[in-house]
Amino acid sequence: MAKKTGAKGKGGTGGLEELVYGLIATAAERDLGAVYGAVPATALDELAAALRPAVEFAAPPSWRAFMAAFGSLRVLDAAGEVVELCVYTPREAAAHTKQHVRVGPGVLWIDDDGSEHAITTDHLVAFADAGGGGQWCFDTSAPGPELPVCCHHADEPLFARKRAGGARVSAEAHDYPDFTAWLRAMIGEFVRAA
């Protein structure tokens, strides 16, 4: 577990450390625990290698910094079960991406007009649990280095792309412009619910 460095606040407008330590303080007030620990840069390189050749993934700088400082951040109840927040380790990110985000070549999207399109989700990389079977994902089809974040659900893959032509199947906007905005929102929700 990383050591608290004196940062103050509970999810305010401060930096990364202030946000996370605010979450940890709020979790403690709610009799919950938080588990975290730095992840070496090589683990992120291994994640990128594990996703090839389906996708070329370069970890966004904000996520890279978060992983170097905190790694897999999880809020746990007294029984050790994850509640509210679970940011995956790089290995978990690879596994969830392959098992829960990727769709097979025969998966179809049916437009409102009834036309069918084979789809792909190879451009989505899971990094956190979204609850209800969903995954928070980076959309690697956007220009980097920071990548927008979307919530992917296998039963309604709104951020999938058509295999023919690569156009998005929906006009749904990304949930967050980048990882930092996502993290700020998740921690803000957690703190407000306290």
Side-chain angles (χ1 to χ4, degrees), residues 8 38 42 122 147:
K8 298 177 183 171
T42 55
D122 287 351
L147 298 172

Side-chain angles (χ1 to χ4, degrees), residues 85-147:
L85 183 69
C86 177
V87 178
Y88 300 140
T89 66
R91 282 191 182 152
E92 289 170 331
H96 282 276
T97 297
K98 291 176 180 178
Q99 294 170 7
H100 304 292
V101 176
R102 295 290 174 263
V103 297
V107 175
L108 299 176
W109 174 269
I110 302 171
D111 286 335
D112 291 338
D113 65 3
S115 57
E116 296 179 347
H117 307 278
I119 60 171
T120 181
T121 53
D122 287 351
H123 58 291
L124 301 177
V125 176
F127 69 87
D129 184 84
Q135 311 292 319
W136 288 108
C137 296
F138 293 116
D139 184 346
T140 67
S141 66
E146 292 295 342
L147 298 172

Side-chain angles (χ1 to χ4, degrees), residues 17-157:
E17 286 189 356
E18 182 178 343
L19 281 171
V20 174
Y21 290 133
L23 169 86
I24 293 166
T26 301
E29 290 170 3
R30 292 171 57 188
D31 292 325
L32 299 171
V35 177
Y36 58 98
V39 170
T42 55
L44 297 177
D45 296 337
E46 290 169 6
L47 167 62
L51 297 175
R52 286 187 201 108
V55 66
E56 280 299 317
F57 177 68
S62 59
W63 189 57
R64 188 174 282 278
F66 174 85
M67 295 305 278
F70 298 102
S72 170
L73 176 63
R74 295 158 196 260
V75 176
L76 306 173
D77 64 15
E81 297 294 322
V82 172
V83 293
E84 306 286 332
L85 183 69
C86 177
V87 178
Y88 300 140
T89 66
R91 282 191 182 152
E92 289 170 331
H96 282 276
T97 297
K98 291 176 180 178
Q99 294 170 7
H100 304 292
V101 176
R102 295 290 174 263
V103 297
V107 175
L108 299 176
W109 174 269
I110 302 171
D111 286 335
D112 291 338
D113 65 3
S115 57
E116 296 179 347
H117 307 278
I119 60 171
T120 181
T121 53
D122 287 351
H123 58 291
L124 301 177
V125 176
F127 69 87
D129 184 84
Q135 311 292 319
W136 288 108
C137 296
F138 293 116
D139 184 346
T140 67
S141 66
E146 292 295 342
L147 298 172
V149 172
C150 61
C151 186
H152 170 77
H153 287 276
D155 58 346
E156 191 173 6

Side-chain angles (χ1 to χ4, degrees), residues 168-187:
R168 285 252 316 268
V169 298
S170 79
E172 189 79 19
H174 287 97
D175 295 281
Y176 300 98
D178 56 34
F179 176 78
T180 301
W182 173 85
L183 183 65
R184 191 172 301 285
M186 294 299 108
I187 291 175

